[in-house]
Amino acid sequence: MSTPEKSGFSNGELAYSALIEAIRSGIYVPGDRLREVEIADRLSLSRTPIREALRRLEADGIVEHRARIGAVIRQLDHAEVVELYEMRLVLERTAAEMAAKHAMEAETDELDRINMAIADSIANPAKAAALNQQFHRCMYDATRNRFLGESARALNNALLLLGPTTLADEVRIDVVCKQHQTIIDAIRAGDEEAAGASAEAHLQTSLRHRLATMRS
């Protein structure tokens, strides 16, 4: 874990941001214990800001405190994962429909560019995952609805608890990119119904794959 740029931020904010990024990138995964001493050493900070960051992560629902163990990244059970994807499905379908109504040509071109970059990231799952997040943010931006975007961002903490990316092999990335392309084509055509249906199919596939990885 690299030390973040320190200008303009308190040490507690630096520690919080660094831990969020470490969880997002898979350095720490659900079920991992977060030891104050280890993190303080990694970030070259005292334990006080680390403790502050862990309390903030606990308030966010990302970390839980277990007796005799300490701070641990929460693990979602089967029901919670399904509930999370149900919410994502509602938001993603709505976003795709609204993007089909409002997206500019430059925005659909950007979706194409990001999707091609995902396809080229077969050997780098972390990069593919980051690009995938960028793809979905771009689609939300194209909706022209700030409240929908805020609703999606509210799920970000829960998404961190899904664990490592499922974009870990060529077959999975190929499926994702083909489904993304179907969404893009419907948005470009201004077909709201097809865009929404394609987004829903994409999330259903993602949920099936996520549940399969949980069983393995």
Side-chain angles (χ1 to χ4, degrees):
M1 191 193 312
S2 60
T3 303
E5 181 61 43
K6 295 188 177 182
S7 60
F9 295 95
S10 71
N11 284 342
E13 290 171 329
L14 288 171
Y16 176 82
S17 296
L19 284 170
I20 287 286
E21 183 55 36
I23 296 169
R24 181 176 288 114
S25 63
I27 294 174
Y28 295 123
V29 298
D32 281 355
R33 181 181 177 186
L34 298 178
R35 296 175 173 84
E36 290 181 14
V37 174
E38 177 195 345
I39 298 168
D41 183 59
R42 282 175 177 267
L43 298 181
S44 299
L45 295 172
S46 71
R47 293 177 63 179
T48 299
I50 303 304
R51 198 171 298 120
E52 176 187 332
L54 291 175
R55 283 197 297 266
R56 186 173 170 187
L57 288 169
E58 187 172 1
D60 288 342
I62 297 172
V63 164
E64 61 186 6
H65 188 85
R66 296 182 186 173
R68 296 183 297 280
I69 296 176
V72 177
I73 302 173
R74 280 190 61 220
Q75 290 178 290
L76 299 181
D77 61 25
H78 180 281
E80 289 174 314
V81 170
V82 172
E83 290 167 9
L84 174 57
Y85 271 87
E86 285 176 338
M87 281 304 302
R88 287 189 70 195
L89 192 152
V90 171
L91 293 174
E92 295 276 333
R93 178 168 190 133
T94 302
E97 290 171 347
M98 296 184 73
K101 185 176 181 180
H102 298 293
M104 303 290 288
E105 183 178 352
E107 290 171 314
T108 54
D109 288 347
E110 178 66 2
L111 287 169
D112 263 329
R113 184 196 66 76
I114 298 170
N115 200 39
M116 287 188 287
I118 296 172
D120 290 337
S121 301
I122 294 171
N124 191 337
K127 181 179 179 182
L131 287 165
N132 185 56
Q133 293 168 7
Q134 186 180 346
F135 178 91
H136 288 275
R137 284 195 301 271
C138 185
M139 185 173 71
Y140 277 97
D141 288 343
T143 67
R144 303 290 184 275
N145 191 304
R146 71 191 70 182
F147 297 105
L148 182 60
E150 286 299 322
S151 296
R153 281 188 285 275
L155 286 180
N156 282 349
N157 287 346
L159 294 177
L160 289 174
L161 299 176
L162 287 174
T165 178
T166 61
L167 300 177
D169 60 73
E170 185 174 353
V171 173
R172 174 65 180 144
I173 288 180
D174 184 60
V175 169
V176 166
C177 289
K178 285 179 177 176
Q179 291 186 328
H180 280 176
Q181 194 59 54
T182 302
I183 297 169
I184 295 167
D185 291 343
I187 291 173
R188 181 174 281 120
D191 190 334
E192 297 175 45
E193 183 176 351
S198 297
E200 180 172 343
H202 177 49
L203 263 294
Q204 292 285 7
T205 300
S206 295
L207 174 58
R208 283 193 291 271
H209 196 83
R210 176 64 66 180
L211 293 178
T213 60
M214 289 176 68
R215 290 193 295 269
S216 61

